[in-house]
Amino acid sequence: MKFILVSLILFSLPAYPQDCALLKEKDLVTNEPKISTGFFNLQVATLSIDADSKNIDFFFTVDNSGKCFDYASTVVINFEGGKLKFTLRNSGTVNCEGYFHFTFRNGPSTPSQLLNLSEKKVVSFKFIGTNKAETSFMLAPQQQQLLMDMTACIIKEAKSLLPN
Amino acid sequence: MQQKILSNLLLFLLVPVLLIAQSTPPSAEVIMKEAYQKADKEHKNVFVIFHASWCGWCHRMDSSMNDASCKQYFDNNYVIRHMTVDESKDKKNLENPGANEFRKQYGGDGLGIPYWLVFDPKGKILADSRFRTDGNVNSTPGDNSGCPATEKEVAYFIQVLKQTSRLSPDEEAAVTKRFRQNEN
């Protein structure tokens, strides 16, 4: 009986992302309900993943020592194994504060790149700003897991914000 | 051959789409999210100005705030952000998505530009450019003061700056002097 109980608990764990405690708030601009992971550390960057009924926004603040980002700036995301990587463009403002966004549409189906972020380990990020200035960093194993968990958590909870 | 033509056609159709995607300005939501983040870090308030490329008074507002006599004061106390609204038909692509709705939400619809708002780093509205005799953002608003120029407009602007920043007598005198020049 004990074995069955322990097995049930153990097997049920992977079905839920660890610590899916999201901040529930109202958007300060649109006043719409939104959810957010709050900022968490990824080496020389912090990341907050926010979702409302329309978008899922990855908001990085990169410690880039005065390097700037513009609309043409990109981030290259490398996944474990070396076979998968993709490049995303900055959807935020032109700034020299290290702010960088990429955004996915929130909808009934999950975009494949977003799904990859929730299912595959990210090994490194390479931000390419104005004048091709690069800021690269590798993620520690616990940060790889945290990023996957937070992304999975947001994907799951963001569906509840979709209009019926 | 047919495949090559098809791929060229696809490329021809896709390039403008990609170019449009590249030139889309950031949304009001993203602008404010970054502004609040920066304001919180630097212990400042957020000053948002709604403007358009054709708007002469908006340019005057920027020139005044960036004048050597005042720039330091504004930079030290505010995270200043612009949102483009009310552009002409051929320049609609310059508008920040969501900016019109954001302005409307804070009472600026149909009042002309520049229209400005002041928020604390948590997104609480502290002031807007509509005249109020007591300067309280919750009391009945009057017309849009826009880019301060007249004595009355500059007096209201100073009242807002005093309530939302640390404004020394010297800075007050410098801001007053610079903005009064706009009347000429």
Side-chain angles (χ1 to χ4, degrees):
Chain A
M1 183 62 188
K2 257 186 191 171
F3 176 75
I4 293 169
L5 199 64
V6 169
S7 302
L8 271 175
I9 292 168
L10 279 177
F11 281 111
S12 65
L13 276 180
Y16 301 96
Q18 289 169 5
D19 192 18
C20 194
L22 297 174
L23 306 170
K24 289 183 181 174
E25 47 201 32
K26 281 202 165 179
D27 189 272
L28 297 170
V29 176
T30 62
N31 242 352
E32 275 187 36
K34 67 174 251 189
I35 50 174
S36 171
T37 61
F39 280 97
F40 54 97
N41 285 319
L42 297 174
Q43 303 294 12
V44 297
T46 59
L47 169 64
S48 176
I49 315 171
D50 305 343
D52 60 19
S53 63
K54 296 187 190 89
N55 297 310
I56 297 178
D57 178 42
F58 284 64
F59 176 16
F60 288 85
T61 61
V62 184
D63 182 5
N64 61 354
S65 315
K67 292 172 200 161
C68 303
F69 293 128
D70 60 13
Y71 302 143
S73 297
T74 54
V75 60
V76 182
I77 305 173
N78 288 294
F79 289 85
E80 194 176 51
K83 283 186 181 168
L84 178 65
K85 73 170 181 181
F86 50 74
T87 303
L88 297 166
R89 192 175 293 277
N90 180 27
S91 59
T93 63
V94 177
N95 72 87
C96 300
E97 312 290 333
Y99 299 146
F100 189 102
H101 293 256
F102 54 80
T103 307
F104 300 96
R105 298 294 292 174
N106 184 15
S109 59
T110 308
S112 61
Q113 289 178 323
L114 181 58
L115 213 52
N116 281 329
L117 285 163
S118 72
E119 291 173 346
K120 295 180 168 59
K121 287 182 177 170
V122 172
V123 176
S124 66
F125 287 98
K126 182 165 80 177
F127 291 87
I128 306 169
T130 52
N131 301 321
K132 299 194 172 166
E134 292 183 7
T135 305
S136 300
F137 57 91
M138 313 269 287
L139 296 193
Q142 67 270 28
Q143 291 170 334
Q144 295 173 346
Q145 190 61 48
L146 182 65
L147 178 60
M148 282 198 302
D149 290 346
M150 289 299 193
T151 309
C153 192
I154 277 280
I155 290 172
K156 183 176 159 236
E157 297 296 323
K159 307 275 189 237
S160 67
L161 300 173
L162 293 172
N164 295 321
Chain B
M1 180 65 184
Q2 205 173 9
Q3 205 172 6
K4 199 175 175 185
I5 293 170
L6 267 175
S7 63
N8 281 342
L9 185 68
L10 195 67
L11 193 71
F12 178 75
L13 290 170
L14 266 179
V15 165
V17 172
L18 290 172
L19 287 176
I20 288 165
Q22 277 176 30
S23 60
T24 304
S27 67
E29 213 174 328
V30 162
I31 291 172
M32 293 309 290
K33 205 191 279 189
E34 290 183 5
Y36 292 136
Q37 174 76 5
K38 185 173 162 64
D40 194 35
K41 199 164 78 180
E42 298 177 0
H43 308 290
K44 295 176 183 174
N45 286 322
V46 178
F47 198 112
V48 185
I49 303 167
F50 295 90
H51 70 168
S53 61
W54 52 264
C55 166
W57 279 105
C58 304
H59 296 305
R60 283 197 197 189
M61 179 97 189
D62 286 339
S63 303
S64 307
M65 290 175 84
N66 286 309
D67 189 278
S69 62
C70 317
K71 185 173 170 37
Q72 191 75 46
Y73 157 73
F74 284 109
D75 287 349
N76 286 345
N77 287 278
Y78 299 99
V79 172
I80 299 164
R81 290 292 179 265
H82 292 83
M83 289 192 200
T84 305
V85 292
D86 299 346
E87 279 293 348
S88 50
K89 272 183 189 170
D90 59 328
K91 289 186 176 173
K92 280 285 173 199
N93 62 318
L94 298 177
E95 290 187 359
N96 296 101
N100 271 311
E101 292 78 1
F102 187 46
R103 177 178 56 162
K104 191 175 180 181
Q105 190 184 332
Y106 287 99
D109 196 31
L111 296 183
I113 47 176
Y115 185 73
W116 45 265
L117 303 166
V118 185
F119 294 92
D120 77 3
K122 303 285 175 215
K124 184 186 166 201
I125 182 80
L126 300 176
D128 63 37
S129 53
R130 291 175 294 175
F131 284 113
R132 287 176 179 82
T133 46
D134 59 358
N136 185 341
V137 74
N138 295 314
S139 60
T140 312
D143 294 335
N144 179 19
S145 61
C147 171
T150 65
E151 201 172 335
K152 185 186 167 194
E153 287 162 355
V154 174
Y156 176 66
F157 190 52
I158 292 291
Q159 190 179 22
V160 168
L161 299 181
K162 276 183 178 172
Q163 285 172 350
T164 60
S165 72
R166 294 168 297 275
L167 182 70
S168 71
D170 284 351
E171 289 166 337
E172 180 181 337
V175 173
T176 302
K177 189 179 170 191
R178 178 60 188 85
F179 277 82
R180 286 291 285 125
Q181 287 172 15
N182 289 327
E183 199 176 25
N184 304 326

